[in-house]
Amino acid sequence: MDIDLKVTDQDNYLVHLRFAIIVFLALSVMALDVRSKVLADFRYYVESALYPVLVFADSPHSVSKIVSSQFKSHSDLIKENEKLSTENFLQRADILRLKDLEYENEALRKLLNSPARHNTKRLFAEVIDVDPDPYLSRVIVNQGTSAEVYEGMPVITDMGLVGQVIEANYSYSRVLLLTDPNCQIPIIDSRSSVRGICSGSGSHNQIFFNNVPRSADVREGDLLLTSGIGGVYPRGYPVAIVTSVGVSDSQPFAAITASPLVEIDKMRYVLMFSTNTQDSRDIDYAQKAKNITDNKIILNQQRVRDLIDKLSVKGANNKNEAEKIEETSNEVKHDQ
Amino acid sequence: MISSKENKNSFLLLLVPLLMIGMILQIVQLPEIVSQNRPDFLMLFILFFAVQSRKFTYTLEISWVVGLLLDLTTGAPLGINALIISSQIYLITTQFKNFHKYVMFQQMIIVGIVNFLVCILGYWIEHIIGQAYFEMQFLIPAVSTALFWPFIYIICAILCSTFSIEIYDKEKAD
């Protein structure tokens, strides 16, 4: 019995020591991971290797989806098909108009000497997992660096903005949702053009519109769009609808909350896209635009001179014509 | 002596698959309400082996490794789940030495309180890192973990008896 007690005492002593070592290791690994990013490569390779685990974890969902799609009745399928083909027809008609607008926009932008915007790459991705950590609002999608996904890539659905890629692994990537407190999005009120930055609240159906003065014209029901400032998110994508505007005299800023348009807990497919600035066509165009801008003073002078000449010539012509008309009318009068 | 060696081997044979199942349960995609209040399955599985078998001493190390894997799959800061799981195992095995002799509801209360404390520790660390936001909901998993402990205990005990794994100590038998 005595021997046993001694052994357990020694064990206990060792347990404390082992726990101390484990705490130290855990904290140092955490510090290295969070602050110095030394382990970024390690994370990239190990997480890429763990992809099958994530796919396996998603299997209940995917299996239930397959089963439910197998048991759809014939009439349901016909109905769905009809609905989709109608939708497709309407959207094709919209696209025709969109193409026209795109050309027009490009032409107008050329006139303004600003480079045209090309959305060169669009990528369809499926949400395969949601990070279960209570402090992180992130989802995992099944496209990674193998499909040229990069960190900071904006992600949308057909409803609106979802967020941006925060970590790209070989075959999957993590998307920071707009509801995460770390996610800040530059936005603009579509009605009053009030600019600002919105940040996540941590809850899946609420975001905050921060640092807006009390006098700013923001009302309930306003649509908030991405403003394009900052360069991460392209301009004009819908983000949220303002749900409440709280103004109190003691606070310098209004407390505005908005509800995201995308149903973040239900979405299954997302679209990732890059405004590809590395495209040679864009670089050429930007270079051209720059040259034009650099020579703008000369150009402007030239243009103004031309314009004046034109106007004066025109004016002179007009004058001459007017004089001629007067003369002829006088002659007519004299004849009478 | 020979029998104890055999037991040790067979014991790992059950622990490893259970840890894999626990890992899948931790990361599997569930509806949001369930997902937010998901109990700490991995900790419960390791806890069963830690309190039932004093012979098996490497639970802290195992929980650390498993926690790291969980961090990698969930994208949490590396080491946080390792710290959370291993400190729960440490607290229960060192501070409640007669844990296995307690009545089930007392065990549940202890599991709940320890999980609650460690949840706060996790929140505190994530707050320092700058990722956490305050919501009372982050404490609900402590309740669900406590409620799941009897089920996990029974399932593990049944599995042990089915695969004839002798994990009980002499002390426990006394």
Side-chain angles (χ1 to χ4, degrees):
Chain A
M1 233 3 223
D2 285 350
I3 297 163
D4 274 359
L5 274 176
K6 270 181 189 169
V7 168
T8 50
D9 281 351
Q10 207 176 359
D11 275 356
N12 281 337
Y13 173 70
L14 277 176
V15 161
H16 297 312
L17 186 70
R18 275 162 43 213
F19 182 65
I21 292 170
I22 279 173
V23 169
F24 175 72
L25 274 177
L27 290 177
S28 48
V29 163
M30 214 181 303
L32 282 178
D33 183 44
V34 174
R35 293 281 177 245
S36 73
K37 305 283 175 198
V38 174
L39 298 170
D41 281 348
F42 168 76
R43 261 200 110 117
Y44 177 84
Y45 290 116
V46 177
E47 290 190 2
S48 300
L50 284 171
Y51 180 64
V53 180
L54 292 176
V55 173
F56 184 68
D58 184 47
S59 55
H61 200 275
S62 46
V63 167
S64 70
K65 207 178 127 200
I66 292 165
V67 170
S68 65
S69 66
Q70 288 296 319
F71 286 101
K72 254 186 188 169
S73 71
H74 189 67
S75 61
D76 279 350
L77 284 174
I78 288 172
K79 257 185 209 167
E80 196 181 326
N81 195 8
E82 267 177 14
K83 195 185 143 210
L84 288 176
S85 51
T86 321
E87 237 176 64
N88 197 9
F89 181 76
L90 291 173
Q91 275 168 3
R92 266 167 198 274
D94 283 348
I95 284 171
L96 287 177
R97 210 173 123 257
L98 189 74
K99 279 258 155 83
D100 184 42
L101 287 174
E102 248 177 28
Y103 290 137
E104 194 183 326
N105 187 22
E106 203 168 325
L108 288 171
R109 286 183 81 87
K110 265 184 192 169
L111 283 178
L112 289 170
N113 289 337
S114 53
R117 290 176 299 180
H118 298 288
N119 288 340
T120 47
K121 194 166 168 61
R122 282 184 297 177
L123 208 63
F124 186 74
E126 190 179 348
V127 176
I128 54 165
D129 201 6
V130 178
D131 275 350
D133 197 298
Y135 306 113
L136 306 171
S137 307
R138 296 182 194 170
V139 293
I140 296 168
V141 296
N142 65 350
Q143 299 282 9
T145 47
S146 58
E148 291 175 19
V149 172
Y150 58 89
E151 277 179 29
M153 202 171 183
V155 180
I156 58 166
T157 67
D158 56 338
M159 304 290 287
L161 192 79
V162 173
Q164 63 163 299
V165 174
I166 194 171
E167 192 186 311
N169 288 309
Y170 183 73
S171 43
Y172 68 96
S173 43
R174 289 206 158 80
V175 176
L176 182 74
L177 301 174
L178 78 162
T179 52
D180 192 286
N182 292 318
C183 192
Q184 316 275 334
I185 302 168
I187 49 169
I188 188 165
D189 188 317
S190 63
R191 183 182 55 82
S192 59
S193 299
V194 173
R195 276 199 308 275
I197 292 176
C198 73
S199 64
S201 66
S203 148
H204 72 276
N205 55 4
Q206 199 180 49
I207 58 172
F208 299 128
F209 191 3
N210 294 327
N211 303 337
V212 180
R214 278 179 296 169
S215 55
D217 182 18
V218 179
R219 289 183 212 151
E220 260 184 58
D222 279 2
L223 180 67
L224 303 175
L225 308 172
T226 49
S227 66
I229 297 170
V232 175
Y233 303 100
R235 222 181 74 186
Y237 279 94
V239 178
I241 284 179
V242 176
T243 48
S244 75
V245 182
V247 181
S248 103
D249 290 337
S250 59
Q251 297 293 326
F253 299 113
I256 302 170
T257 57
S259 158
L261 289 164
V262 180
E263 288 177 324
I264 277 157
D265 47 338
K266 286 178 194 160
M267 69 181 179
R268 189 71 190 159
Y269 301 103
V270 294
L271 200 64
M272 311 165 88
F273 64 90
S274 52
T275 42
N276 201 346
T277 48
Q278 300 304 314
D279 193 3
S280 60
R281 200 172 49 164
D282 275 10
I283 291 168
D284 286 352
Y285 193 81
Q287 194 61 42
K288 228 185 250 172
K290 192 175 176 295
N291 286 339
I292 293 169
T293 329
D294 288 347
N295 303 329
K296 209 167 187 178
I297 306 163
I298 308 162
L299 265 176
N300 271 351
Q301 285 174 354
Q302 188 67 37
R303 239 182 234 170
V304 171
R305 209 175 295 148
D306 285 353
L307 206 67
I308 292 167
D309 286 351
K310 225 181 191 176
L311 281 173
S312 58
V313 169
K314 234 184 182 178
N317 286 343
N318 286 346
K319 242 183 188 176
N320 289 343
E321 276 172 18
E323 279 169 6
K324 271 179 190 173
I325 291 165
E326 267 181 27
E327 276 171 18
T328 45
S329 60
N330 285 340
E331 279 170 15
V332 171
K333 273 180 189 173
H334 280 295
D335 289 344
Q336 281 172 352
Chain B
M1 283 304 283
I2 297 162
S3 63
S4 72
K5 211 174 184 182
E6 275 174 6
N7 289 341
K8 214 170 188 177
N9 287 337
S10 54
F11 173 175
L12 277 177
L13 283 178
L14 182 63
L15 181 63
V16 173
L18 276 181
L19 288 181
M20 285 174 76
I21 293 168
M23 178 78 87
I24 297 294
L25 285 174
Q26 291 279 78
I27 59 174
V28 75
Q29 199 180 342
L30 296 170
E32 196 175 357
I33 300 165
V34 186
S35 182
Q36 275 177 353
N37 311 322
R38 192 192 312 244
D40 204 344
F41 287 108
L42 273 174
M43 191 280 283
L44 291 179
F45 282 130
I46 299 172
L47 183 66
F48 176 81
F49 290 97
V51 296
Q52 290 301 326
S53 167
R54 293 279 180 83
K55 284 177 192 166
F56 185 64
T57 47
Y58 298 109
T59 41
L60 281 180
E61 285 77 4
I62 283 203
S63 52
W64 191 74
V65 173
V66 167
L68 269 192
L69 281 176
L70 188 62
D71 288 329
L72 286 168
T73 46
T74 57
L78 210 59
I80 189 149
N81 278 311
L83 186 66
I84 285 175
I85 299 176
S86 52
S87 40
Q88 286 181 73
I89 301 293
Y90 169 77
L91 281 176
I92 293 177
T93 49
T94 58
Q95 304 306 311
F96 304 95
K97 283 177 185 157
N98 294 324
F99 185 80
H100 58 275
K101 288 180 185 163
Y102 292 167
V103 190
M104 187 48 83
F105 83 89
Q106 287 174 323
Q107 290 187 0
M108 280 166 70
I109 292 170
I110 291 168
V111 168
I113 289 174
V114 169
N115 193 271
F116 173 84
L117 288 174
V118 177
C119 268
I120 294 173
L121 174 78
Y123 169 76
W124 182 59
I125 290 173
E126 296 226 24
H127 191 76
I128 291 170
I129 292 170
Q131 289 188 328
Y133 46 89
F134 185 73
E135 236 179 36
M136 278 314 282
Q137 280 177 338
F138 83 94
L139 296 171
I140 298 175
V143 179
S144 61
T145 308
L147 289 175
F148 263 78
W149 170 238
F151 297 105
I152 300 287
Y153 185 91
I154 291 164
I155 290 168
C156 287
I158 290 171
L159 282 174
C160 282
S161 66
T162 338
F163 294 103
S164 60
I165 294 163
E166 184 76 42
I167 57 161
Y168 297 100
D169 278 358
K170 250 186 180 179
E171 285 176 60
K172 166 81 182 166
D174 291 341

